Amino acid sequence: MEKKIVAIIAGGDSSEHDVSMRSAAGIYGWIDKTKYDVYTVEVTSKAWEAHLEDGTKAQVDRNDFSFEVDGHRIKPDYAYITIHGTPGEDGILQGYFELLHIPYSTCNLLVAAMTFNKFCLNQYLKGFGVKVSDSVLIRANHHYTPEAIVEQVGLPCFVKPNGGGSSFGVTKCRKVEDIEPAIKKAFGEWDEVLVEREMRGMEVSNGVYRRKDGSICVLPITEIVSHNEFFDYNAKYNGEVEEITPARLDDDTTRRVQSLTSHIYDILGGSGIMRVDYFITPKENADGSTTNVISLLEINATPGMTPTSFIPQQVAAAGLDMTEVLTEIISQKL
């Protein structure tokens, strides 16, 4: 039986281009080559190029997503999207592949666009009872004052690009004077800026994917202990963080987090692997007892997939195999 062709879509034009390429290398190493022929396709605004085994690159025809290898025209049967940022995380490529009738790994166009837009996602999920941080959305043509922002969200607060990942353009502000330069920095990454009330407590991350039988598999939770002010780029990608899987949570809180992850994935009609990040904050009750409050931080529809990323850690902690998980995800649509 002829093997299906899988294209791993990576790159993009955001600051996370190189991280995306590292994720693509991880995925390439895990995909079962006995079942699939695999190519990495690097996508930027300047060129779409398929990386070939001999080290050369082939131009991709965007009319049908095909490229030439040794005189033969190759058209992938499946797209595994691992771009962190536009156009792979915000629904643009999802719409493109829908038009070409090529199945892909992630959630659909609408959900990708929604999860990419932090403010939109928070307001949507808040309607389903998910607890989120107070926030203010700022566009380039909006009139605002730092004082009015602080009055609404308080201090400390976080200023971040409303779209894209959370690795670049993020500032923790402790005083009013920090707000203006932080907003300018965030506008350097995106055309909308989100200012959020600081969430305190334990930061955790929880991966989830849909099995071939349609059931939802929630992975073990990772606890994030950053050595820096917050979980920034250096913490994420340069090892300045302690990642503990499974997280040091009591059984009840673990169950509640995983249940909420499954609920959110179901609300969104999730597909492929997603990662949901939370803060867990102890709250003292009137009777002196303590309840852990779970607040949504963000959702990543194309999470990092390097060997040291959260998802591979969680898959291993669950006693699962990355190759088998990816085979299950890919085979659902082929």
Side-chain angles (χ1 to χ4, degrees):
M1 186 175 176
E2 188 173 334
K3 290 192 287 186
K4 297 288 188 179
I5 299 169
V6 173
I8 303 169
I9 319 300
D13 292 310
S14 78
S15 301
E16 294 188 274
H17 174 279
D18 293 347
V19 177
S20 170
M21 296 304 296
R22 296 206 296 269
S23 286
I27 293 166
Y28 185 92
W30 285 311
I31 291 180
D32 190 343
K33 310 301 189 304
T34 67
K35 292 183 170 66
Y36 308 108
D37 287 329
V38 186
Y39 297 89
T40 296
V41 174
E42 184 176 3
V43 170
T44 68
S45 58
K46 294 181 179 179
W48 291 22
E49 298 176 318
H51 293 217
L52 308 183
E53 286 188 359
D54 62 3
T56 62
K57 298 177 182 180
Q59 295 298 314
V60 174
D61 184 343
R62 303 185 199 187
N63 292 300
D64 62 359
F65 198 61
S66 67
F67 50 90
E68 191 170 297
V69 180
D70 296 330
H72 300 284
R73 204 72 197 165
I74 300 294
K75 184 177 180 181
D77 300 294
Y78 183 91
Y80 197 107
I81 302 173
T82 190
I83 291 179
H84 309 317
T86 188
E89 200 172 2
D90 58 358
I92 293 175
L93 278 180
Q94 286 80 357
Y96 169 78
F97 288 124
E98 291 279 359
L99 288 172
L100 294 182
H101 303 289
I102 296 175
Y104 53 87
S105 58
T106 70
C107 53
N108 64 29
L109 186 161
L110 174 62
V111 175
M114 190 184 304
T115 57
F116 192 69
N117 186 307
K118 298 177 179 68
F119 186 80
C120 176
L121 176 72
N122 284 357
Q123 302 314 304
Y124 178 74
L125 289 178
K126 188 161 44 171
F128 289 88
V130 177
K131 184 172 177 55
V132 298
S133 182
D134 294 335
S135 61
V136 176
L137 180 67
I138 301 171
R139 296 190 176 96
N141 59 346
H142 279 184
H143 174 71
Y144 64 88
T145 65
E147 292 76 13
I149 291 171
V150 170
E151 184 177 343
Q152 188 163 341
V153 302
L155 288 170
C157 64
F158 280 92
V159 177
K160 60 181 73 173
N162 189 45
S166 292
S167 299
F168 296 93
V170 182
T171 305
K172 182 175 181 178
C173 298
R174 295 184 176 277
K175 53 185 186 293
V176 174
E177 292 77 17
D178 296 338
I179 300 287
E180 191 68 43
I183 289 174
K184 289 180 180 178
K185 178 181 176 181
F187 269 130
E189 293 290 332
W190 203 252
D191 59 4
E192 293 181 337
V193 172
L194 184 68
V195 185
E196 284 186 319
R197 182 186 299 274
E198 181 190 35
M199 289 185 280
R200 297 177 181 177
M202 179 191 293
E203 186 173 355
V204 300
S205 185
N206 195 198
V208 58
Y209 70 96
R210 193 177 300 277
R211 294 190 179 98
K212 195 169 185 178
D213 64 5
S215 63
I216 296 173
C217 178
V218 182
L219 297 170
I221 302 164
T222 296
E223 177 184 348
I224 303 161
V225 184
S226 177
H227 298 163
N228 302 333
E229 183 74 21
F230 59 93
F231 190 46
D232 60 5
Y233 180 87
N234 285 328
K236 280 186 179 181
Y237 303 118
N238 293 331
E240 297 176 10
V241 67
E242 186 178 359
E243 300 164 2
I244 303 167
T245 309
R248 295 171 296 183
L249 295 169
D250 61 78
D251 291 344
D252 179 65
T253 305
T254 297
R255 178 192 58 77
R256 289 170 56 214
V257 169
Q258 292 180 318
S259 177
L260 181 55
T261 298
S262 179
H263 181 52
I264 289 172
Y265 192 85
D266 193 45
I267 289 170
L268 296 174
S271 180
I273 299 174
M274 298 178 77
R275 199 190 76 223
V276 188
D277 298 342
Y278 306 97
F279 267 95
I280 300 174
T281 308
K283 178 184 177 183
E284 187 172 342
N285 301 315
D287 62 1
S289 62
T290 301
T291 301
N292 281 331
V293 177
I294 305 166
S295 303
L296 175 70
L297 176 60
E298 66 178 13
I299 296 176
N300 195 320
T302 60
M305 293 289 281
T306 69
T308 59
S309 295
F310 291 149
I311 296 298
Q313 290 182 46
Q314 294 173 11
V315 166
L320 302 173
D321 177 79
M322 277 300 305
T323 295
E324 292 176 0
V325 169
L326 293 182
T327 297
E328 189 166 27
I329 289 169
I330 294 168
S331 65
Q332 291 178 40
K333 297 182 180 180
L334 281 181

